[in-house]
Amino acid sequence: ELNDMGYKLEAWESGKAPTENITDPQVRKAWYNKRRGVVDDGVRMFMQDDPYPRSIKSTELLPPVLSKEGLKDTLMTSEELNNISNTLYTETLFDEFRKQTGERSIVMFHAYSATVASHRWPFQWAGDYRAANGLMNASLSAHSMVSYDIRNPFPSGWHQGFFAPFSIVNSWAYYREPWLYSESMEESQRRYACLRSRLVPYYYSSLWQAHTTGMPILRPMATYWHDDPETHHMISQFMVGDWFLLGLSDSDDAPAGEKVDFWTGEQKGNTGPIYLPKGRWIDYWSGELMDVAESDWVTVEWPRFMGGPLFVKAGAILPMTQVKNYTTEKEDEIVVLDIYPHEESEYQL
């Protein structure tokens, strides 16, 4: 009934997949067959939290602790399977879903399920951890769509989360629905959600670009300004697609500025630092044009309800549509090209 009303449902999986003879396609197909019923009922997305064999059991990055359970197979050793097991399951899930529905699949994978060639299937999710340099490292490894749970229900959280390649407001058991917060916090989320809705053509085009060229949606500053040592360890800001420069107001690696208290949302002022590379930039919130002669940190302001600095590179061509409650609610009446003229530039929609 929910499917008929337009809702697209997701199945959160935490079961266990087979660990023996998984190089046999029939073993993996039998595993998928247990999901056919929920797909017939309307499930169109899977959240793979725990079902795949976890070769690395530790939750921290260093040092990794390998599973002692081992994977048994007639074709490969357990060491060989460590690098390929999740890839085999992922490929099976995508192929069988496509055969069953005739649609493209989208699956939310826990980052620890990433193995050989896993960048081919969207998308990797940081699980229960805050987004930090992990998202940018993944981008540099050709993961075009990366994401995390937005657990900061304040403007700084919406600012980062709604510009992620895939936005997830995971309230789970914590009562994080926006209407349970103050009117100010609800208005902040509404503004970011509306902006994200308008930018669907931009994000879709950026994902197509990632698929065809390998350039990820979220791009560390060193992707473009690799000759500038200041950008090499920078996690306080990044490019989103070709044109947006997003700065985070509560990152630890930026010079001292006004920070947002994670628990209370208290913010002494809507000001903070951002590193602007040499060139011409436009403050997206105010429209102010800034000609930067030499790359440097600058202090900027942003409006009430917004959570951090957002700049546009001069020459930008941003395709935008109308605000919708969901993407298929209605056909696009018109695509607006929001253009910031500077010399010659182009963008493929």
Side-chain angles (χ1 to χ4, degrees), residues 321-333:
T321 184
Q322 296 80 55
V323 173
K324 305 173 189 176
N325 289 305
Y326 50 95
T327 55
T328 58
E329 183 179 23
K330 56 187 176 182
E331 294 292 330
D332 290 341
E333 296 177 1

Side-chain angles (χ1 to χ4, degrees), residues 14-141:
S14 291
K16 288 189 175 181
T19 57
E20 293 189 16
N21 296 327
I22 62 174
T23 58
D24 183 348
Q26 295 306 315
V27 171
R28 303 194 306 275
K29 187 173 181 179
W31 164 80
Y32 177 83
N33 286 341
K34 297 178 181 179
R35 286 138 188 81
R36 291 187 181 275
V38 294
V39 173
D40 287 336
D41 288 339
V43 165
R44 285 299 177 268
M45 178 174 167
F46 289 96
M47 173 181 167
Q48 300 287 56
D49 200 353
D50 266 320
Y52 294 178
R54 288 189 63 179
S55 301
I56 297 178
K57 303 297 288 187
S58 51
T59 56
E60 299 298 332
L61 294 178
L62 295 174
V65 178
L66 293 179
S67 170
K68 294 182 180 180
E69 299 170 2
L71 300 168
K72 300 177 182 179
D73 196 88
T74 57
L75 296 180
M76 292 185 177
T77 66
S78 59
E79 287 81 7
E80 290 173 314
L81 285 171
N82 279 340
N83 285 327
I84 199 68
S85 60
N86 292 344
T87 298
L88 293 174
Y89 274 114
T90 300
E91 187 173 47
T92 299
L93 177 58
F94 271 72
D95 288 348
E96 295 300 321
F97 181 93
R98 185 167 56 248
K99 292 175 184 177
Q100 183 179 354
T101 65
E103 301 173 4
R104 288 178 291 183
S105 179
I106 179 109
V107 183
M108 179 174 162
F109 295 107
H110 201 295
Y112 57 56
S113 74
T115 53
V116 170
S118 57
H119 61 278
R120 293 189 294 169
W121 299 288
F123 61 96
Q124 297 295 332
W125 152 73
D128 301 329
Y129 301 97
R130 290 188 66 187
N133 58 322
L135 298 187
M136 286 178 248
N137 288 338
S139 289
L140 291 175
S141 300

Side-chain angles (χ1 to χ4, degrees), residues 329-344:
E329 183 179 23
K330 56 187 176 182
E331 294 292 330
D332 290 341
E333 296 177 1
I334 191 172
V335 173
V336 175
L337 299 181
D338 189 11
I339 299 176
Y340 298 77
H342 179 60
E343 298 178 346
E344 291 187 6

